[in-house]
Amino acid sequence: MDLEKLYQQLLDRVTENYADYRAELLLKDRQELIDGADRIAKTAEVFQYFTEKPLMETEVAYFLKFQNPLEVMADHWESCNFELDALGAVMADAVDKADDLTLYPLAADAPAQSPDGLQKFMNVDLETVLPQILVQKTAFYQKDLTYALDAMREGAATKNPAKRNFVVIFRQSGVECLNERDMFIAGTRSYNTCQYYHRQTREPVLAYSVELLGDGKNGLMANLYQQDQHQMAKFTERASSPYTDVTVTFIGGKEVRIPEKEYNYETIPSLKYHYGDIMDTRNEADDESVVQGALRREHDRRERMPKGHIAVHVQKLDESRIQTEADRLASELQSLTEPNTPDKTHFMVEVSPYFLPLASQDDMYRLFQKVQEQVEQPMYIAQPDGKRGQYFFMRREERAQEQTHKPSIKEQLAAKPGPGDKPAAKPKDREVR
């Protein structure tokens, strides 16, 4: 591998190290940040040197041996009292001595990281793509997507970044549209909703970050990023700042900042009486720098995500939706030990009420084929008398036929003789001639 590729590999690793380091700083309180100001400055200087100064081939090869080359060099630089111009000499000395190889985790020892499969989709038409995702997940309250798109159109009309970044969550009953900045302000609706889908429900959802590009002739355009609902919630919980105030902007341009607990449906009429109609509101954090730091960290992370094709992604969602339901139906049918129809002649399992509203005739055919492949018994789909929905049915005789089997020779030999059974005659000794 040539030097340019090796250097790019080192640059990517150092950039990731620095992003992780900054994320850890977001978890510290103000006193810890003050006490560690020198270390923070030294680490920033080392990162700047790695990314802006030319390195020798031996230096690139040496630092690639470490999981965290930024930490290795920052430790060396923190222990010196030289000016920034001497950082190159300190780096060369560290490479010559190579003492760090026994003191820091090496890249060769790092556990292999399995890719999470999340992708980014660039410059997509939200008004075309989001409805396609909707019909793969959301069976009820589909009109929620209309409200979400309306909120995004309002965001596209402004240049305020805080209003141009969203997180959209597709669930079985409805769609959530969250303001990304507010997700990092603990106590806001967006933050609480994000935590709810992590802690309070086991329902798997489809979550995407949305970066609006504009509302042009080609429709509402944006970059779309897949999200893991649990990892997203864990990060927002770690990196958020408490919710303190609300800044209210009135039609006349006047801004009033009030404590968030005092801004509610009871106080709003009084505010309108004194200042006029409300034009805009903005949730305020205890420390806005924490919020902005978390947003930068999140944006840096997803910029490194691999690009995908949105059409392929939607197709995979379709396949996964049918396969997941087929696996559930097959598992439930195979777990039944007694017929459960009223006349006790059939085994039956209901098709999910969240699957049916989204299923076409072709979907039902594919579902039937997949279930039958797993159960390997004749079955049919019907609607029972007095019930809603669709059910898979399998006759009792088919299950009995499935469960009966001829005992093996080993089982026959191991079986104990029953009453009246004659013991097997011992074979006569073979005559030896």
Side-chain angles (χ1 to χ4, degrees), residues 11-26:
L11 185 61
D12 291 342
R13 188 175 304 172
V14 170
T15 300
E16 185 175 356
N17 295 156
Y18 192 54
D20 291 339
Y21 176 72
R22 288 173 61 87
E24 291 176 3
L25 294 178
L26 295 175

Side-chain angles (χ1 to χ4, degrees), residues 135-137 316-326 355 358-360 363 366:
V135 298
Q136 301 302 330
K137 184 63 180 180
K316 288 182 178 179
L317 291 178
D318 177 67
E319 295 171 357
S320 175
R321 173 174 58 90
I322 296 174
Q323 187 64 57
T324 299
E325 180 65 7
F355 181 87
L358 303 175
S360 64
D363 291 342
R366 291 159 60 196

Side-chain angles (χ1 to χ4, degrees), residues 43-97:
T43 303
E45 290 171 358
V46 171
F47 175 71
Q48 180 182 3
Y49 192 92
F50 267 119
T51 55
E52 297 181 2
K53 301 291 184 179
L55 301 183
M56 297 177 62
E57 185 173 358
T58 54
E59 294 172 336
V60 173
Y62 179 73
F63 286 107
L64 273 175
K65 295 180 180 180
F66 299 98
Q67 296 179 27
N68 194 335
L70 180 71
E71 178 189 26
V72 175
M73 198 56 225
D75 285 348
H76 281 286
W77 187 230
E78 187 180 17
S79 64
C80 296
N81 296 316
F82 303 125
E83 297 297 328
L84 182 60
D85 293 342
L87 181 51
V90 176
M91 179 177 290
D93 183 63
V95 173
D96 289 339
K97 292 181 178 178

Side-chain angles (χ1 to χ4, degrees), residues 149-168:
L149 287 170
D150 287 343
M152 293 179 200
R153 291 188 189 98
E154 291 181 9
T158 178
K159 296 182 179 180
N160 185 355
K163 296 181 178 294
R164 295 174 62 87
N165 290 273
F166 298 86
V167 170
V168 181

Side-chain angles (χ1 to χ4, degrees), residues 54 94-95 122 139 206 264 335 432:
V95 173
M122 313 306 287
L206 298 176
N264 52 56
S335 66
V432 179

Side-chain angles (χ1 to χ4, degrees), residues 315-356:
Q315 179 62 36
K316 288 182 178 179
L317 291 178
D318 177 67
E319 295 171 357
S320 175
R321 173 174 58 90
I322 296 174
Q323 187 64 57
T324 299
E325 180 65 7
D327 293 344
R328 184 190 68 82
L329 289 166
S331 176
E332 291 194 19
L333 277 172
Q334 292 169 331
S335 66
L336 292 173
T337 57
E338 295 293 335
N340 56 342
T341 55
D343 57 5
K344 303 300 181 184
T345 60
H346 289 74
F347 301 87
M348 72 174 188
V349 175
E350 183 183 9
V351 179
S352 169
Y354 293 103
F355 181 87
L356 276 180

